[in-house]
Amino acid sequence: MKLQFKTNINCGNCVRTVTGFINEVKGIEKWSVDTDNPEKILTVEGENLTAEAVIEAVEEAGFDIKIAMPNK
């Protein structure tokens, strides 16, 4: 399963700040933030993921996050 989110995680320091929070979410196998993308897309992959758990972790780290709608 792959989920994508728009965030305001915009630099390496931000990624380091959020890392511990995201790594605590059960089911995440890998994740990354495209800081070059204007929407700072967070991509999360794993099994049995819930968007709510990812959103909660990122918000707890102090960042804004919302589900990115896929392009059709």
Side-chain angles (χ1 to χ4, degrees), residues 1-5 41-46 49-52 54:
M1 171 185 286
K2 179 158 93 171
L3 301 173
Q4 291 191 308
F5 304 87
I41 299 296
L42 166 64
T43 302
V44 180
E45 295 183 51
L49 293 175
T50 66
E52 293 78 14
V54 177

Side-chain angles (χ1 to χ4, degrees), residues 8-9 13 15 19 23 26 31-32 35 37 40-43 46 51 59-60 62 65 67 71:
N8 65 341
I9 301 169
N13 285 335
V15 171
T19 294
N23 287 345
K26 292 190 183 337
W31 64 273
S32 63
T35 56
N37 184 310
K40 312 303 180 203
I41 299 296
L42 166 64
T43 302
E59 287 179 341
E60 193 174 321
I65 181 171
I67 295 172
N71 294 332

